[in-house]
Each structure stands twice: as C-alpha cells, then as structure tokens.
Amino acid sequence: MSWSSKAQTWASVLLGPSLLAVVISTIIAISLPLVVHFLLYRPSSATSLPTFLILGPRGAGKTSFVTLLEQGSNPATHTSQAPLTVEASLPDAIVVASGQYRSSNDPTSQAPTRFQLIDTPGHTKLRHFALDFLATANNLCGVVFMLDAGDLSVIEPEGSTGIGLKGTAEYLLDVLLAVKRRSAKLEGAQPFALLVAANKLDLFTALPTPLIKTRLSAELHDVFRSRAKGLLDSNSGTGDGAQAEDEEIGVSYDVIGGHVMGSNGTDITEWLKWIGKRL
C-alpha cells in the first residue's frame, strides 16, 4: 500500500463517525487551550522584584538594616565578605506610591508589596561588588548609601577604626558618578533615586542631619576637584582635567537620619517611607 493510500485511510477513519475519531478530537479540544494558556501566561515569579541596592562604608549598619527588614528582628551581624540578596516587605503603616490612590477595600492594596534588597560589603577591597551591581542590576528602583553618623570627623581621633569624612565622601563620589553613568545610558528614563541614610543618629558622637549634609557636600566637591586636578596633571595640560573640573557631579540625593539599633529601639520609619515612594 502506497503512502497516499495510507493517508487516505487514516483521513477516512478520523473524519468518519468512529470511536477513535471521537477520542482523538476530544483530546485535541481539551489539550490545545491548556497548551496555549501555559505558553502565553508564564508564572509571575519569573518577573524580577523591585530592587534596592544597599551600600556604604564598613561598620555603617547595612547588614543590620537588611536583616531587620527581612526578619523583623536585629540579631548580631558581622562584617560582610560577599553580597547578600534578600526579599522583604514594608510594614502596613507605610503606603507605597503604587497604592497611594487605591481604595482600602481593594484586595491588591491589602497584599504586602515585596521587594528585593542587595546588601554589599563595605570594605575598600570589596566595593567592586557594589559598583558592579550598580552598573548591571535589573529593575533597580533606588540606591541606599548608609553611613555612620558618628564617623564623620574631619580629623579622626587616635585609635579610630572608621574612615572619617574624607573616606566616606570618596566612596559616595564613586557611587554618584556610577549612578550618573548608568542613568546616562537609559535614555528618557528617570535618574536613580539615591538616599544617604545617616545611621546611628542616637549616639552621642553623631552629627545632626543638616550638619551631615553640609559637611558631606563640601567634602564631596573637595574630593571631586582634587581628582580633577590630578587628572589635569596626568594629562600634562591637554585640557581633559580642566573639563572634568568644570563639570558638576550632577546627581542629587536625600540625607535622612535614623538608627537601626539603639537603647530606645529602632528609628527607620523615614527610610522606609523613602523606599515606599519608589515602589
């Protein structure tokens, strides 16, 4: 029997009023919509969560902050040696921007808004993790630069283990310039929001938030001009350094104080409100 004869025989069986034809037609009618559904509607878990990058000098309290949001408690932490990614949600009292105008009876407004935090090491030799994430992280909604409000002295006291005002400003400038570079690649997109979270504000040695902002801004521009001058000297007057010196940093940031740990509990509400405005 030829191939065409076999095809005609099968066609007659499938199209005829036989039990086999009914069974095959039923299987196709049931399975085809299911296949199409699974192809078109992928699981929502495949989508990436809104992400916030947590960075700053070592000892600033980054891991404690991330652990507090993830677990709701503040266990003892140690200096991070590698990045840590966790999922968290805001307390019910914090209203996110996407739900600001929703009715309280809307079921979607009652579900917690999940987001992702990436905690990065603050040691000088490990800061490349933070800058790499800053350049490549997906769905990045904001950057939180956490510093120790008690470690911003112009002259570090003897025996201090902190990096002081200058070291903090140098790292923050690296972050600001990295934010500017990535924002420039995203045409028409809003620049990344950046929060300078002044932690340990409850300590006696901590500076008040307005003074932190003033000192940090002045030191940032001093470091920026110093680098520009070094670039000018290395280029032997080619003009590249002069152009860099005249260029503004061009990235705005908010400075908000608080404390993750303390004798009177935690005070991170304003930081959480800042995050909520970006969700």
Side-chain angles (χ1 to χ4, degrees), residues 7 12-13 41 51 55 75 86 88 95 102-103 110 115 128-129 136 183 191-192 199 207 213-214 234 237 240 273:
S12 300
V13 172
Y41 299 96
T51 301
L55 41 75
V86 302
V95 179
R102 289 180 179 173
S103 168
Q110 299 174 7
F115 58 94
H128 62 89
F129 287 116
T136 60
S183 297
F192 296 119
N199 190 26
L207 299 177
K213 187 171 185 177
T214 301
S234 65
D240 294 338
K273 288 180 179 178

Side-chain angles (χ1 to χ4, degrees), residues 102-110:
R102 289 180 179 173
S103 168
S104 58
N105 298 321
D106 187 347
T108 58
S109 65
Q110 299 174 7

Side-chain angles (χ1 to χ4, degrees), residues 23-266:
V23 172
I24 294 177
S25 300
T26 303
I27 293 175
I28 293 176
I30 294 175
S31 60
L32 185 60
L34 294 176
V35 172
V36 172
H37 174 81
F38 284 113
L39 288 176
L40 295 181
Y41 299 96
R42 299 301 178 92
S44 58
S45 59
T47 60
S48 59
L49 292 172
T51 301
F52 291 86
L53 183 62
I54 315 297
L55 41 75
R58 64 176 179 178
K62 302 182 297 297
T63 303
S64 296
F65 175 62
V66 170
T67 305
L68 179 60
L69 286 184
E70 180 195 19
Q71 302 180 6
S73 60
N74 233 328
T77 60
H78 57 276
T79 302
S80 300
Q81 301 294 326
L84 173 67
T85 301
V86 302
E87 290 186 15
S89 60
L90 294 176
D92 295 337
I94 304 297
V95 179
V96 298
S98 59
Q100 185 174 1
Y101 300 105
R102 289 180 179 173
S103 168
S104 58
N105 298 321
D106 187 347
T108 58
S109 65
Q110 299 174 7
T113 303
R114 304 290 296 176
F115 58 94
Q116 187 172 253
L117 296 170
I118 302 178
D119 175 28
T120 58
H123 192 280
T124 307
K125 295 181 179 180
L126 301 175
R127 291 177 185 172
H128 62 89
F129 287 116
L131 298 179
D132 289 344
F133 275 118
L134 192 51
T136 60
N138 295 323
N139 209 10
L140 190 61
C141 296
V143 178
V144 178
F145 184 93
M146 186 164 286
L147 56 81
D148 183 348
D151 183 33
L152 294 177
S153 301
V154 178
I155 300 176
E156 283 298 294
E158 186 177 352
S160 173
T161 58
I163 62 174
L165 178 63
K166 183 177 180 181
T168 302
E170 288 176 341
Y171 188 14
L172 180 55
L173 180 59
D174 291 336
V175 172
L176 292 174
L177 295 178
V179 168
K180 185 175 182 178
R181 286 192 296 269
R182 176 160 178 177
S183 297
K185 295 179 181 178
L186 304 176
E187 298 181 2
Q190 289 282 354
F192 296 119
L194 195 148
L195 168 66
V196 174
N199 190 26
K200 306 182 184 180
L201 209 62
D202 59 316
L203 298 180
F204 178 76
T205 55
L207 299 177
T209 303
L211 185 56
I212 291 175
K213 187 171 185 177
T214 301
R215 284 194 178 182
L216 201 55
S217 177
E219 189 66 28
L220 273 172
H221 286 85
D222 285 346
V223 173
F224 185 73
R225 286 191 291 268
S226 176
R227 290 186 183 181
K229 184 178 183 300
L231 181 62
L232 178 63
D233 293 341
S234 65
N235 283 286
S236 303
T238 59
D240 294 338
Q243 183 178 1
E245 185 174 2
D246 293 337
E247 179 188 9
E248 295 180 357
I249 299 174
V251 180
S252 60
Y253 54 89
D254 301 310
V255 180
I256 302 177
H259 53 88
V260 179
M261 304 175 65
S263 56
N264 296 324
T266 63

